[in-house]
Structures are given as structure tokens and as C-alpha cells.
Amino acid sequence: MTFIEKLRAEVVGIDVQVPLLSGATRTYVNLDNASSTPTLRPIAEKVDEFMRYYSNVARGTGFKSQVASWAYEESRNIISRFVGADPKKDTVIITRNTTESLNRLAALFPFKPDDIVLTTRMEHSSNHLPWRRRARLVQAALNPDGSLNVDDFAAKLKEFRGRIALVTVTGASNVTGWVNPIHLLARLAHEAGARIAVDAAQIAPHRPIDMRKRGDPERLDFIAFSGHKTYAPYGAGILAGDKSMLCASEPALVGGGVADLVTPHSVVWRSLPSREEAGTPTVVGAVALAASIGLLGAVGWDAIMEHEAELTRYALTRLSRIPGIRVHGKTKTDNLEDRLGTICFSMDGKPAQLVAAVLGYEAGVGARCGQFCAHPYIFALLGISDADAEKLYESASCGSLADMPGVVRASFGLYNDKSDVDAFCDCLEAIARGDHGEYDTNPKTGERWPKGRPKLNPADYFSLAPRLPA
Amino acid sequence: MSTTAIERLRAETVGIEVESPLLGGGTRQFVNLDNASSTPTFRPVMNKVDEFLRFYSNVARGTGFKSQIASWAFEESRRAMARFVNADPKGDAVIFTRNTTESMNRLAALFPFKSDSIVLTTTMEHHSNDLPWRRHAQVVHARVLADGSLDMEDFAAKLRQYRGRVVLVAVTGASNVTGWVNPVHELARLAHEAGAKIAIDAAQVAPHRPIDMRKPDDPEHLDFVAFSGHKTYAPYGIGVLIGSKDLLHPPVPSLVGGGAVDLVTLDSIVWRGLPSREEAGTPGVVGAVALAAAIAVIESVGWDAIRRHEEELTRHTLERLSQIPGIRIYGSTSTVDLSRRLGVIAFNLEGRSDALVAAIMAYEAGVGARYGLFCAHPYVITLLDLRQREVERIRDQIAMGNMAGIPGVVRASFGQYNDRSDADALCESLTAISQGKHASYQSDPRTGEYRPTGHERLRPEDYFSLNPC
């Protein structure tokens, strides 16, 4: 048994049984890792162990406060090393998630009034909307296979040269799994006098990230990622990057911990990272993320990449044989270096919401369907014109989301194995044969549930009420 | 011998048994008197989190079994928050944030201020209920009395003086320094009479007293309430902002990204309704579940039992402290009426700096307390009666990066799991210090922190490792 195979047994909740429409149960198959990952027992245990020492950080003099403050700062150091940040010139700010990190960067980055942010059409809303309110946004186009059109990217850099202050791209698509050549993009951005930020939420659990040394033309200036996609769903995210550009005249959020002195009319602000961590920080989340990084390090990137590529190859091969399935993005299986195990697809004649519902109710497979907070990208993949998108905008404005076109996504974590892929593909084969139950549709949301069946009652499986001491 | 729920809960406090190393060699059970800063968690809360992690999955739009369970648990937790403060299930939104500080920043960003609006707050606030307002409005501070409690007459006078311009009153439920409890409903009535809304920073009061926002048409109703999990036995990175939907709904959310929108095209956006529109990105689902579990633990013990226990502890401590020569307690020292204070006690010992006293308590008695200005600088400066010239000198010194000798106070604060042995450990340590029975310490000029002279620094890595393998 390899280390990665052993780790599967350590996934918290890997053994959870789910009820099926047939009346039977089966072990849940989690293929929604691009959305959020479960945690692993060594991480959960580390968190529980840390809870014995938990105390507020900074200025507490007691034993526990010293241990907790050390653990928090040491977690920051581990995160900094994980992304290859410069220990002196970069800072690591602990946030809630990547979305907050990118909003923070957008709030702090020293934009001038006519600045442009160059991004791509494949971004998640979190690497799109924050920039819209701070600068003019230009989006590089895509190739027909959904990958970034690097020629168009370079052309846009040339076209707007001198005005592009920041390039911001995802490390990998959360829809198709395409991996972007971030260091090449960094070189192009720097040659054009721009900085580069990488939304690493998707890529962080799958590939090593290296911001590289200062002075390297391929260096990444800013990195953001989340614990909840990296096996540490304890509410921490990070923003790492160049201190000198994250030190605005005032912090983004204000309150406790950001000021050395406050009088009724004046404030002496602290330095980074404290000044960007107003209030009590997410110490437990940071410790969990550090533990997760420790665990990823123990598995090793080569093993992770090899295992996930094999799974992806196997899944793509099986999917290619199922009639009516159209995989969006890269379908070739010879070289999987430039894609993650995130697979999105459509099925002829079967709406995405129906396919996802059948997977859930009839095969115990947790996948996801919809637009994945990347609406412009989905519309491009599905060939929906900008004019049609505006029509959808009007119907969404009226509260109707039922007809929104979408895709189904299955995404692997390092703990998934071939049996998960088989469960998923077996179910899709059945759907392709029309071998599935009947479903009702919620006219407002488009959500499907089995016809004539009561809704799942979560309270039968989990209660919020804690078990109290007798 | 039968034990009460509160006594049983002490054994359920995670890490209650942890031994603290002492200066002379040897150890003693760590005495945690820093609960006003952050509380530990209880085993039932931690176990609930561990159980939930078996079902953890991202919320919203996931079709799998786990996503349905997790989405339900998250929304149930939200309803538990609303019930905890008796929010209006229809008219109020419960927004999950990271902590009270973020909640207050969020409210400040969303509240519909006009250009000449005034926020009336008090001199006793934590910075988190002062600085966020300064960037959105003119801030007026109601004074405090000599004992550190809110000067109600000045509060009413300021409301009158700025009538028509005060759109929001922002006060703490209880001081994080002296533990004074504010009469929030009376303040609410005054605020509403003057046409203002009221927001309560409930970070301190939430674990100690019931909060009741009351019906929207009640003149004493609270419009906004914010509090944190990490002060309420759920230190899992979660806080809440609860209040009137109508006033938390500007055209554009404060943070933008995934989950805040129904549709994004290249030129247009359809924003979601509350609370989703204010929870951009993946929310703190685990934190929300933890806080709901902690609330259930608190409610199972019962407010009467919590109040009685904490009052007894506070009375006992105040009585013993009053016998220590050279001690000065800030705030109420009455051991008769404790209804208007929490078990948060701020003090100084004559002739010894706050930083030194806190260090001796930690290194020689294993008592975890806190010292300094408690992110309430204007309040502590007032309590210490510092002159303007002294404040300016301090500001210049801090600006030079020198934190040594900055005036402050020591604070001990109780949680419901503390008992008399904890109070006694505190008082015995302070008695010894007042008698000069302690080792020698030296201060780090950069941080102002004291460490025992000639001793190695504590090595946290001897006690805890981040490595999970």
C-alpha cells in the first residue's frame, strides 16, 4: 500500500453511508473537492490537540497565550515557505478565504485612476468582481478548448501597455481544470511593467507553488488560497505578497490589533501583517492549514500529481466511451501536466441539474452542477453569445434561475481512487441509457429531486445539539 | 455529592488539565483568567465539530448527500444565532463573519450614512466599535463617570445636542476592561426617541448575559448585534452580525466574489439576497456549527446558573483583592450589587507596572492574564487619568518603536468554567507580589514585555508541534 492509499482511510467521513433512492445505502463518493475538501484525521487531531492550548494571541502573558502565539506565527512561517514567499519582503495575511484575500488585495493595491487590471475570461467571480470596482478590467480571450489564449494575453498587454498595473489570473480553472502557465504570464506581465497576482485556490492542493526569488522575472507578486480546498476547512485563507504594496495609508479593516495607539482623534497603525488582521485572528484555521501543509509535504508532490493524473486519465477514458457525453476543456489523456482532476461535462438531452441529482440520489456521488461562479467562462464553453447572456441576465434579475445553462463537474482530491471513478462513470452510463428515476423540478431554482419522494431530512443524520456531560 | 452542571462543565473544558511550567522548576495546572480575550472550548463543542467534519462539504448548490447535510447544518446554525439573540426571523439578517471586528466594519460599510451623519458612541469602547465608524461618519463619544461607567446624562445630552444628525448609536454591551454592563435597552429607547438606530457590540456580554433584541416595534429593541465565537467557547474563526435587513442592503455588497451573485456577465451582475450577498466566498461553516453547539451548551447550563456562579466568583475575588495592599481596582469594586458588571476585573499594583505584574503571575503562578491598553486606549487613558501631555509623550515613544513603560492595567476575566481555586491562585500570586516575593525581571524595550532575568525563553515547541505526521 502506498502512503496515498493509506491516507484514504484517514479522510474524516470517508466511511459515511448515504441513503439511495433504491432504499439501499452505499459509501458516499465525494467528487466535489474543487468546491471544498474534507479534512484528514491527522489534521483534525492536530486541531483538537491545539485546542488544549488555545488562547488569544499577542500580549497574553500566560503559558497558553505564549504557546498559541508561537503556533500562530509558526503557521504563518509554514504557509510562507509553502508558497516560496520572501521571508523579509513578503507578508502573509491570514484571511477567511480566497475571496476575502482577493477583495483585500483589490482594496490595498495602489491603483491610479486610469489603471487597468488584465485578467482572463476563465476566472472565478472572486478573481473578477473585486477588480471591477477598483479599476478598468480587460479580459484575455480563450482558445476553443477553454484554455487561455496566451497570444491574446500578450496582445492585450501590448495594447494597454503602461496602463496595466496588475495582471490577475487563476492558477487553474475551477471548471475545466486547465492549468495556466503562471510563470510565463508573470514574465510577460513584468516585461510590461505590471505586477501579477495568482488565484491559487484551485491549484494549491494539487501542484507546488513557488513565488520565486525577487529579481526573477518569473516571480509571482501575490498569491491567495484557501484552507477549505486544501484539506483544512477551518475558516482560514491567505494572501501572501509584497509588503510594500499592501501597506496602504489605512488598513482595510480597523479595530483591535491593528493600532499601537488610539486617541480620540489620532491613530498609530501597526505594521504588517498585524495591521491587516483586525480583531482576533483565525488561529485555529491557521494551525489547521499548517498541519495540512505538513501532511501534503509528507505525501510529496510527485505522488500526489502522479496519483491524480492517473485517476483523471482513467476517468477521461471511461467518459469518452459514454454516449452523449461532452467533456469541456482538455480531453486528451497523453499529457495531463496542464490540467487538474477537475472534469466538467454536459450530457445530450439531460440538463446538468438532472444529471447531478441522479448522481446524488441514485449513486451516492457528490458532484456539483451550475455555473461554478464563473458565468462568463461557462457561457464561452457552451457557446452562448454575449447577447444571449444578457437575456439570461434579465431572467435572473426577475428571480428565475431555472433555465440557466450549466455543466456538471466532478473533481478529485488526493484521497479519491478508481472505485470512486467507477461509481461515477457507472451512474453516467445508466443515465445515458435512460436508466434512472423520475425527478421533479423546482421552477425557481431548477433544482431536481426524486418525484413523489419526501425531501431528505438532514436531521436524521446530524444534530447540532452537543452531547452534554451526564 | 451531587455536582452542578457548571461544575461538571469545568472537567469538560478542553485543556483544563494542561500544566504550566513554573520559574522555580516544576509545574502547576494552568489558570486561565483571560476569557475576555478568548475562551477555550468545551469537549461537547469540539466533539460536535469532529462529528460534523464527517459530513463537511461545501454549502449551496452541491447536490450530494453531504452537501445537503452541510447546507442544512449551516442554515440551522444561522437560525440558532437568531434565536440566541431573539432576532426577528423575517426582518433581520444573520451574517456570518470572522469576528466582531469584521461585523462592525461590515455594518459601518453597509449602513446608509449621509455625508453629515454622526455616530454616537462612548469613551469605553473597544477600538472595534470606534475606528470603523470614524471612516464613515463623524464620531461623538459620550463620557464615562469617574468609576468608568457610562455617563448617562452626557449620553442623553449628546443625543439632544446632535439631534437629527445622530443616525446610529454604537455601544458595547459590557466593557472589555472594567466589565461594566451598559443598560442597552434604556440606551435603545433614548436612541430611538432621537431618531437613531442602535448597534450593540455584544462580544463581551454574549457569553455572560442573555441578549434579547426584542420586537422591532418595541422602543427598546436593538437594531444590530455583533458577537464572536472565540469569546463564546467556540474559537473556530466565526463571528456574526445580526440586524435589520433593510439597512444592510446597499446596491453592492461589501465583499464581492463567488456566492454573492446569481449571475455575472461581462457588463452586469445580479446580486443575491441577504445573507448570501454578504457572505462572499466559502463561509465559515465549521465555525458556525461550533458556535451553535456552544450556544446549546450555554443554554443547557442556563443563564441563572451562569450569572450566579460568575457573580459569586467575582464577589469572592473582589473581596480578596481589596485586602491586598497597594491594589487599585478600576471600575466597580462593590461586592453588594454585581448586576451591572461582568467577571472582568482590571487593576494595578502600586509600584509595579502592569506588564511586570502579568509576567510574574504567568511565570511564578501559572496564571494567564493580560495587560496593557486592551484595544480601548481612550478608556484606559481615562481610567488612569493620564494628562494630554503624557499621552503625547507616549504617542511619540510608540512612533519610535519603543513600547517599554507604556502605562496600562492588568486584567483578569472569568469564564463560566473558572472556580474559586482559580480566583485564589490569582489572589495569592498578587499577595506575594505585593510583598515583594518574586524573582527579578527585565523588560524588552521593543515590546515592553517582561521576562525573568537569567532564564531561557519558554520554548513552545517543547509542548506543541504543528507537524501532524
Side-chain angles (χ1 to χ4, degrees):
Chain A
M1 231 192 201
T2 65
F3 190 59
I4 233 172
E5 283 165 346
K6 279 187 223 151
L7 220 48
R8 180 168 169 95
E10 297 293 317
V11 173
V12 175
I14 191 78
D15 55 333
V16 166
Q17 296 295 306
V18 303
L20 301 182
L21 206 54
S22 65
T25 62
R26 71 154 292 159
T27 309
Y28 182 70
V29 178
N30 191 342
L31 295 184
D32 194 19
N33 297 285
S35 184
S36 232
T37 48
T39 194
L40 296 151
R41 196 157 294 114
I43 298 166
E45 282 171 0
K46 185 53 73 179
V47 166
D48 288 354
E49 182 196 344
F50 175 68
M51 279 300 183
R52 299 180 62 227
Y53 298 96
Y54 177 73
S55 177
N56 212 331
V57 296
R59 274 186 169 255
T61 46
F63 171 64
K64 287 195 183 180
S65 184
Q66 290 195 46
V67 173
S69 300
W70 170 84
Y72 186 57
E73 291 311 319
E74 197 54 30
S75 298
R76 199 194 300 283
N77 293 338
I78 287 169
I79 293 162
S80 172
R81 286 196 295 273
F82 179 68
V83 296
D86 183 319
K88 288 233 170 61
K89 297 196 166 149
D90 288 329
T91 190
V92 173
I93 299 166
I94 311 287
T95 63
R96 174 173 40 247
N97 51 32
T98 307
T99 302
E100 191 189 19
S101 297
L102 294 170
N103 274 272
R104 190 67 65 90
L105 178 57
L108 297 176
F109 192 87
F111 288 113
K112 290 193 297 291
D114 65 343
D115 276 347
I116 289 175
V117 171
L118 174 62
T119 181
T120 80
R121 197 153 173 176
M122 71 199 290
E123 304 302 321
H124 187 281
S125 300
S126 297
N127 195 25
H128 173 184
L129 299 181
W131 311 111
R132 277 205 201 181
R133 48 165 73 170
R134 301 280 292 134
R136 186 179 151 200
L137 202 60
V138 172
Q139 295 184 322
L142 307 169
N143 294 316
D145 62 6
S147 64
L148 175 64
N149 183 334
V150 177
D151 289 340
D152 186 61
F153 179 90
K156 294 247 161 67
L157 267 178
K158 267 205 280 296
E159 184 184 345
F160 297 103
R161 196 184 171 96
R163 284 184 59 201
I164 297 180
L166 185 69
V167 165
T168 179
V169 291
T170 189
S173 163
N174 69 313
V175 179
T176 54
W178 273 115
V179 171
N180 279 322
I182 46 178
H183 291 290
L184 168 66
L185 302 179
R187 181 149 45 77
L188 296 173
H190 291 143
E191 280 167 11
R195 301 285 182 151
I196 184 165
V198 174
D199 169 357
Q202 286 300 321
I203 205 160
H206 304 292
R207 297 277 199 280
I209 301 164
D210 184 1
M211 293 177 74
R212 299 199 188 166
K213 292 251 172 310
R214 285 180 162 252
D216 184 331
E218 300 199 340
R219 174 186 151 80
L220 311 175
D221 299 294
F222 304 99
I223 288 281
F225 71 97
S226 294
H228 76 94
K229 293 197 207 289
T230 316
Y231 309 104
Y234 289 87
I238 65 117
L239 170 63
D242 193 333
K243 270 185 198 169
S244 68
M245 312 208 84
L246 295 171
C247 205
S249 59
E250 278 194 19
L253 296 180
V254 292
V258 302
D260 276 329
L261 186 70
V262 175
T263 70
H265 304 290
S266 64
V267 184
V268 183
W269 302 109
R270 282 203 180 136
S271 53
L272 282 166
S274 301
R275 59 148 44 207
E276 285 299 330
E277 292 181 356
T280 293
T282 307
V283 183
V284 170
V287 165
L289 185 48
S292 164
I293 288 171
L295 200 62
L296 290 174
V299 182
W301 288 116
D302 286 348
I304 293 171
M305 285 165 63
E306 194 189 315
H307 173 76
E308 292 180 356
E310 205 181 299
L311 270 187
T312 308
R313 182 173 296 115
Y314 180 64
L316 287 172
T317 307
R318 278 205 63 175
L319 288 174
S320 70
R321 297 189 196 121
I322 300 174
I325 280 205
R326 180 174 158 220
V327 173
H328 306 284
K330 184 170 179 168
T331 51
K332 273 201 228 135
T333 57
D334 50 338
N335 171 13
L336 295 177
E337 268 174 34
D338 55 3
R339 70 122 62 230
L340 303 181
T342 298
I343 303 174
C344 85
F345 60 93
S346 305
M347 274 184 101
D348 279 352
K350 310 273 179 191
Q353 299 218 353
L354 175 67
V355 174
V358 177
L359 281 164
Y361 289 106
E362 301 186 38
V365 175
R368 198 162 274 257
C369 64
Q371 300 81 34
F372 302 97
C373 299
H375 305 123
Y377 188 41
I378 296 289
F379 294 161
L381 291 173
L382 295 177
I384 293 166
S385 69
D386 288 356
D388 286 342
E390 289 310 316
K391 278 183 211 145
L392 288 167
Y393 167 76
E394 277 158 33
S395 89
S397 302
C398 302
S400 171
L401 300 168
D403 298 328
M404 196 74 81
V407 297
V408 186
R409 181 185 72 185
S411 51
F412 300 122
L414 62 87
Y415 64 92
N416 287 117
D417 68 10
K418 283 199 176 181
S419 75
D420 296 335
V421 177
D422 287 335
F424 166 63
C425 292
D426 291 350
C427 180
L428 292 178
E429 282 171 1
I431 297 172
R433 292 192 304 266
D435 184 4
H436 62 80
E438 282 189 68
Y439 288 78
D440 283 327
T441 305
N442 177 329
K444 209 171 151 285
T445 62
E447 199 193 328
R448 305 300 207 275
W449 71 92
K451 198 179 190 73
R453 300 285 183 118
K455 281 218 170 211
L456 176 87
N457 183 12
D460 292 342
Y461 304 92
F462 179 75
S463 154
L464 283 170
R467 198 173 305 115
L468 300 164
Chain B
M1 195 180 77
S2 73
T3 55
T4 63
I6 250 180
E7 283 164 347
R8 286 194 295 273
L9 216 50
R10 179 170 170 94
E12 297 292 320
T13 304
V14 176
I16 189 81
E17 76 292 352
V18 167
E19 293 283 313
S20 166
L22 298 179
L23 198 56
T27 64
R28 70 154 290 162
Q29 195 177 333
F30 180 71
V31 178
N32 192 343
L33 295 181
D34 194 19
N35 297 286
S37 183
S38 233
T39 48
T41 193
F42 294 124
R43 194 156 294 112
V45 176
M46 190 171 90
N47 288 347
K48 185 52 68 178
V49 165
D50 286 340
E51 183 195 344
F52 175 69
L53 284 169
R54 290 172 38 78
F55 297 98
Y56 176 74
S57 177
N58 211 331
V59 295
R61 278 187 167 254
T63 45
F65 173 73
K66 288 195 183 181
S67 183
Q68 291 195 46
I69 305 273
S71 301
W72 170 83
F74 185 53
E75 293 310 320
E76 269 300 296
S77 301
R78 197 191 299 283
R79 285 188 280 275
M81 304 301 135
R83 284 194 302 272
F84 182 62
V85 298
N86 194 22
D88 176 16
K90 289 232 169 60
D92 288 332
V94 175
I95 299 167
F96 282 111
T97 63
R98 174 175 36 246
N99 52 31
T100 307
T101 301
E102 192 191 13
S103 297
M104 288 306 190
N105 276 270
R106 191 66 66 89
L107 177 56
L110 298 177
F111 192 86
F113 291 113
K114 289 196 289 289
S115 59
D116 66 341
S117 290
I118 288 176
V119 173
L120 175 60
T121 182
T122 80
T123 303
M124 72 199 288
E125 302 304 320
H126 189 281
H127 296 338
S128 298
N129 194 25
D130 177 350
L131 299 182
W133 313 115
R134 294 192 193 184
R135 43 169 74 167
H136 293 279
Q138 185 189 328
V139 175
V140 172
H141 297 86
R143 279 198 300 264
V144 292
L145 299 171
D147 65 3
S149 66
L150 177 60
D151 182 339
M152 292 295 289
E153 281 175 27
D154 188 57
F155 180 88
K158 294 236 158 80
L159 264 181
R160 264 196 307 278
Q161 184 183 346
Y162 297 103
R163 194 177 174 102
R165 283 183 62 202
V166 179
V167 294
L168 186 68
V169 166
V171 292
T172 188
S175 162
N176 69 312
V177 180
T178 56
W180 273 116
V181 171
N182 280 322
V184 289
H185 292 290
E186 192 182 335
L187 299 176
R189 183 158 39 76
L190 295 171
H192 292 142
E193 279 167 12
K197 302 285 179 181
I198 186 165
I200 305 298
D201 169 356
Q204 286 300 322
V205 88
H208 305 291
R209 300 288 168 90
I211 301 164
D212 182 355
M213 292 179 75
R214 301 196 188 170
K215 294 262 170 294
D217 56 358
D218 185 328
E220 300 200 337
H221 118 272
L222 311 176
D223 299 287
F224 303 100
V225 164
F227 65 97
S228 293
H230 75 93
K231 293 196 207 290
T232 315
Y233 308 104
Y236 287 88
I238 197 79
V240 289
L241 169 63
I242 303 175
S244 174
K245 274 184 193 166
D246 296 345
L247 297 167
L248 295 171
H249 205 291
V252 176
S254 55
L255 293 183
V256 293
V261 292
D262 274 330
L263 182 69
V264 176
T265 68
L266 294 180
D267 305 306
S268 51
I269 303 168
V270 184
W271 301 107
R272 286 207 176 133
L274 280 168
S276 301
R277 58 152 39 210
E278 284 299 329
E279 291 178 355
T282 293
V285 183
V286 169
V289 167
L291 185 48
I295 285 173
V297 170
I298 288 171
E299 286 172 346
S300 77
V301 175
W303 288 116
D304 286 350
I306 292 171
R307 279 186 69 162
R308 201 176 327 118
H309 174 76
E310 292 181 357
E311 275 190 22
E312 251 168 49
L313 214 46
T314 308
R315 182 177 294 115
H316 175 72
T317 309
L318 288 171
E319 275 166 6
R320 282 203 64 174
L321 287 178
S322 69
Q323 288 156 21
I324 297 172
I327 199 159
R328 159 114 199 259
I329 293 167
Y330 302 94
S332 171
T333 53
S334 166
T335 54
V336 183
D337 178 12
L338 297 173
S339 64
R340 283 200 56 209
R341 74 161 304 146
L342 303 180
V344 176
I345 304 173
F347 60 89
N348 266 321
L349 271 183
E350 211 181 334
R352 287 177 182 81
S353 75
D354 56 315
L356 175 61
V357 171
I360 300 170
M361 285 164 59
Y363 287 105
E364 302 188 35
V367 176
R370 199 163 275 257
Y371 71 93
L373 299 163
F374 299 96
C375 299
H377 302 168
Y379 189 42
V380 177
I381 286 167
T382 306
L383 291 172
L384 294 174
D385 201 15
L386 297 181
R387 306 268 168 253
Q388 183 56 29
R389 271 181 59 193
E390 177 67 358
V391 175
E392 276 161 23
R393 186 194 66 75
I394 293 166
R395 190 177 59 204
D396 293 346
Q397 185 192 321
I398 288 174
M400 303 288 288
N402 178 354
M403 300 295 288
I406 302 294
V409 297
V410 188
R411 181 186 71 187
S413 51
F414 297 118
Q416 64 178 68
Y417 65 91
N418 286 118
D419 68 9
R420 276 200 180 204
S421 74
D422 296 336
D424 289 340
L426 164 74
C427 296
E428 278 153 26
S429 172
L430 291 175
T431 303
I433 297 170
S434 74
Q435 291 163 350
K437 288 187 204 154
H438 61 80
S440 77
Y441 288 75
Q442 60 196 43
S443 143
D444 177 340
R446 215 170 41 84
T447 62
E449 220 178 294
Y450 278 86
R451 289 204 297 114
T453 311
H455 285 265
E456 300 269 310
R457 247 179 206 283
L458 175 89
R459 285 171 42 88
E461 54 269 52
D462 291 344
Y463 303 91
F464 179 75
S465 154
L466 285 162
N467 190 349
C469 302

